[in-house]
């Protein structure tokens, strides 16, 4: 069965068509600047040329129409008609406490997702727009919602509660939810599979290091803690997000710089992280790695602070699980930056970690980068959130 995987943002829409039998991507692409002047669709059929077309997309329905047109196009399409798309899997950012697993999309499910809008005001409304656009154009095709938060719903209360007045939890459901769940689930399972060990027997720490970044602790096949919180701002230092800070810093900056809460949130979300810490040099680790190797002081400070924070989270999750068997690196930085992996692992002597630098410099493989005598196994596992969404979708519509 072919599964269309949709990841819909407020002005962009990423898609992949995946053949669930071979688990291969048949075509993929992105619509950008939806509702803004200069919108364009990029479409790449597997093994074919990438095509970029600038064309008006006043709304998401038009974007989905163009995606379906590209997929069925006589010349460059990969299917003959929409009948060859068996189901659609939608990535949904926030499922609150309502969704601990993926689910077939019904009117009630749409309502429940809408009720989580407050928790993810930038993402959930956009996800819903994507669902509605698909429903309009493919009314008979089953659709599945796959939540970024679902995998983390197994966290115990002690891991998800904040030290805040309890009434905020009761009134507003303020607690840790965590994100990137599809990736943490996929990578931790894959690590067990590659090691040929039972998932339920392992203590695994997954470091998902992309533009957004989070760490999770997966004990006996269940998530027991994760570094992102109510929102994706908490935890690691990220591309442009601050991660953990003393909350009183916000008041301090507000007074010193005359900023209101919205302006401060913009600083924390868009101007901080490795971008801010590197004195606005770059949020991209390719630039930071170059600078580090050249001896640039901003890049050295940024790289060291970033890696120290990752190591600190790993240490705390060793405590949370009373041990660790496997540490996995994944996502853009986790998969592609050997320097980051090396610097993080330099802090992990207490776990008996020893890294094989040849293996650490390989790319694109599911591979152990620790030496055979390393007491803890360290791995690189490329993530594949789209495939994970397609698998969930198939399992529910079959
Ligand atoms: P997201 O999905 O959160 O947008 P990704 O997982 O795609 O992010 O990660 C993007 C980041 O990965 C880039 O910003 C860059 O910092 C890093 N990255 C990608 N390729 C490389 C590379 N070859 N070397 C170092 N870092 C890389």
């Amino acid at each position: 069965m072919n599964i269309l995987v949709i990841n819909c943002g407020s002005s962009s829409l990423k898609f992949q068509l995946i053949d669930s039998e071979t688990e291969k991507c048949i075509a993929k692409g992105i619509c950008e600047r939806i509702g803004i002047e200069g919108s364009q669709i990029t479409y790449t059929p597997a093994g074919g040329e990438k095509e970029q077309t600038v064309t008006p997309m006043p709304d998401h329905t038009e974007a989905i129409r163009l995606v379906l047109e590209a997929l069925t196009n006589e010349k460059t399409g990969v299917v003959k008609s929409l009948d060859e798309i068996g189901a659609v899997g939608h990535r949904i950012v926030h499922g609150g406490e309502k969704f601990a697993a993926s689910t077939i999309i019904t009117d009630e499910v749409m309502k429940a997702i809408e009720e989580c809008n407050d928790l993810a005001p930038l993402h959930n409304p956009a996800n819903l727009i994507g669902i509605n656009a698909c429903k309009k154009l493919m009314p008979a095709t089953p659709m599945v919602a796959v939540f970024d938060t679902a995998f983390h719903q197994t966290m115990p209360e002690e891991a998800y509660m904040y030290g805040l007045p309890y009434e905020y939890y009761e009134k507003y459901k303020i607690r840790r939810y965590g994100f990137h769940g599809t990736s943490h689930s996929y990578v931790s399972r894959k690590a067990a599979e590659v090691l040929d060990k039972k998932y339920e027997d392992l203590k695994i720490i997954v470091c998902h290091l992309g533009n957004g970044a989070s760490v999770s602790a997966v004990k006996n096949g269940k998530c027991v803690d994760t570094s992102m919180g109510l929102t994706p701002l908490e935890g690691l230092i990220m591309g442009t997000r601050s991660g953990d800070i003393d909350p009183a810093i916000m008041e301090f900056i507000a007074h010193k710089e005359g900023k209101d809460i919205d302006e401060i949130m913009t600083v924390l979300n868009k101007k901080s992280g490795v971008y801010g810490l590197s004195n606005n040099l770059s949020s991209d680790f390719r630039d930071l790695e170059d600078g580090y190797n050249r001896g640039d002081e901003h890049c050295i400070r940024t790289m060291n602070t970033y890696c120290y924070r990752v190591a600190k989270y790993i240490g705390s999750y060793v405590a949370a699980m009373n041990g660790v068997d496997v540490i996995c690196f994944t996502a853009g930085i986790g998969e592609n930056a050997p320097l980051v992996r090396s610097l993080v692992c330099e802090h992990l002597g207490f776990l008996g970690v020893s890294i094989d630098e040849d293996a650490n410099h390989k790319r694109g493989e599911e591979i152990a980068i620790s030496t055979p005598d390393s007491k803890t196994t360290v791995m690189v596992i490329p993530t594949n959130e789209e495939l994970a969404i397609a698998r969930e979708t198939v399992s529910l519509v079959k």
Side-chain angles (χ1 to χ4, degrees):
M1 186 192 289
N2 294 324
I3 307 292
L4 179 61
V5 176
I6 298 281
N7 181 354
C8 191
S10 56
S11 68
S12 73
L13 186 153
K14 287 190 211 148
F15 63 95
Q16 263 193 35
L17 190 67
I18 294 176
D19 176 341
S20 67
E21 268 97 64
T22 60
E23 301 210 317
K24 294 262 181 299
C25 167
I26 315 172
K28 64 177 177 182
I30 181 167
C31 301
E32 291 166 289
R33 302 179 64 82
I34 301 168
I36 307 170
E37 198 142 323
S39 36
Q40 66 168 19
I41 174 167
T42 308
Y43 168 76
T44 317
E49 294 277 302
K50 185 193 268 193
E51 260 178 37
Q52 257 177 357
T53 317
V54 176
T55 176
M57 282 179 227
D59 56 31
H60 289 74
T61 308
E62 179 59 11
I64 296 275
R65 200 191 62 73
L66 288 164
V67 169
L68 298 178
E69 208 286 310
L71 291 170
T72 52
N73 181 280
E74 257 184 30
K75 271 201 215 131
T76 52
V78 287
V79 290
K80 288 201 187 68
S81 79
L82 293 184
D83 297 343
E84 290 178 43
I85 299 176
V88 184
H90 290 270
R91 177 196 179 204
I92 309 295
V93 167
H94 220 305
E97 286 186 332
K98 292 179 203 291
F99 297 102
S102 307
T103 179
I104 297 262
I105 298 174
T106 60
D107 288 346
E108 280 103 73
V109 166
M110 300 269 295
K111 216 168 133 237
I113 295 173
E114 199 179 333
E115 280 162 17
C116 299
N117 277 1
D118 264 2
L119 295 169
L122 295 178
H123 294 101
N124 272 32
N127 298 158
L128 283 166
I129 289 172
I131 297 175
N132 278 321
C134 284
K135 279 175 95 178
K136 237 188 232 169
L137 297 165
M138 324 165 74
T141 310
M143 315 228 174
V144 168
V146 181
F147 300 90
D148 255 29
T149 47
F151 181 62
H152 304 302
Q153 277 295 303
T154 49
M155 279 188 289
E157 189 181 50
E158 65 199 36
Y160 71 67
M161 286 306 292
Y162 290 114
L164 289 169
Y166 189 67
E167 62 178 289
Y168 294 154
Y169 172 66
E170 291 182 307
K171 276 202 273 191
Y172 311 119
K173 293 285 172 225
I174 291 181
R175 50 159 283 180
R176 175 183 313 286
Y177 290 97
F179 299 88
H180 298 136
T182 315
S183 176
H184 287 288
S185 163
Y186 174 88
V187 168
S188 53
R189 267 172 212 284
K190 189 58 137 186
E193 190 186 312
V194 172
L195 294 171
D196 200 19
K197 298 217 164 119
K198 250 183 99 185
Y199 188 44
E200 290 75 18
D201 289 344
L202 292 172
K203 294 172 179 172
I204 304 173
I205 295 176
V206 179
C207 306
H208 176 110
L209 311 179
N211 241 331
S214 65
V215 189
S216 69
V218 184
K219 186 180 183 183
N220 309 130
K222 290 202 159 67
C223 176
V224 294
D225 208 345
T226 191
S227 60
M228 282 179 169
L230 174 77
T231 76
L233 185 56
E234 192 181 350
L236 299 179
I237 298 170
M238 309 183 209
T240 60
R241 292 187 205 129
S242 65
D244 298 340
I245 60 164
D246 176 348
I249 291 172
M250 296 170 69
E251 186 206 23
F252 193 93
I253 299 176
H255 288 155
K256 290 282 181 199
E257 303 254 319
K259 289 194 192 311
D260 65 22
I261 190 70
D262 290 339
E263 289 168 324
I264 289 180
M265 291 315 291
T266 303
V267 171
L268 297 183
N269 275 305
K270 303 237 156 83
K271 305 211 161 132
S272 300
V274 294
Y275 172 74
L277 188 53
S278 67
N279 202 21
N280 305 348
L281 206 96
S282 175
S283 65
D284 194 307
F285 272 72
R286 284 161 282 210
D287 303 329
L288 298 171
E289 234 178 317
D290 282 352
Y292 182 94
N293 291 328
R294 276 198 320 270
D296 179 281
E297 62 166 308
H298 296 302
C299 296
I300 292 173
R301 172 183 61 247
T302 303
M303 199 63 95
N304 287 339
T305 314
Y306 179 89
C307 294
Y308 175 74
R309 176 78 57 88
V310 177
K312 216 158 85 160
Y313 263 98
I314 292 173
S316 69
Y317 289 168
V318 174
M321 296 193 288
N322 191 20
V324 61
D325 301 304
V326 189
I327 298 168
C328 302
F329 287 95
T330 194
I333 299 155
E335 292 168 30
N336 295 303
L339 175 65
V340 169
R341 297 192 295 256
S342 275
L343 290 175
V344 170
C345 289
E346 274 180 17
H347 294 284
L348 305 180
F350 75 105
L351 294 173
V353 164
S354 123
I355 295 298
D356 171 348
E357 278 303 333
D358 286 341
N360 188 29
H361 280 78
K362 290 198 174 142
R363 222 168 245 172
E365 290 177 45
E366 290 150 359
I367 191 178
I369 60 165
S370 47
T371 57
D373 62 346
S374 179
K375 287 208 182 71
T376 305
T377 304
V378 181
M379 304 182 81
V380 175
I381 304 280
T383 193
N384 193 339
E385 289 169 278
E386 289 77 15
L387 176 57
I389 292 173
R391 281 182 182 165
E392 291 279 306
T393 305
V394 174
S395 72
L396 283 167
V397 300
K398 255 197 173 155

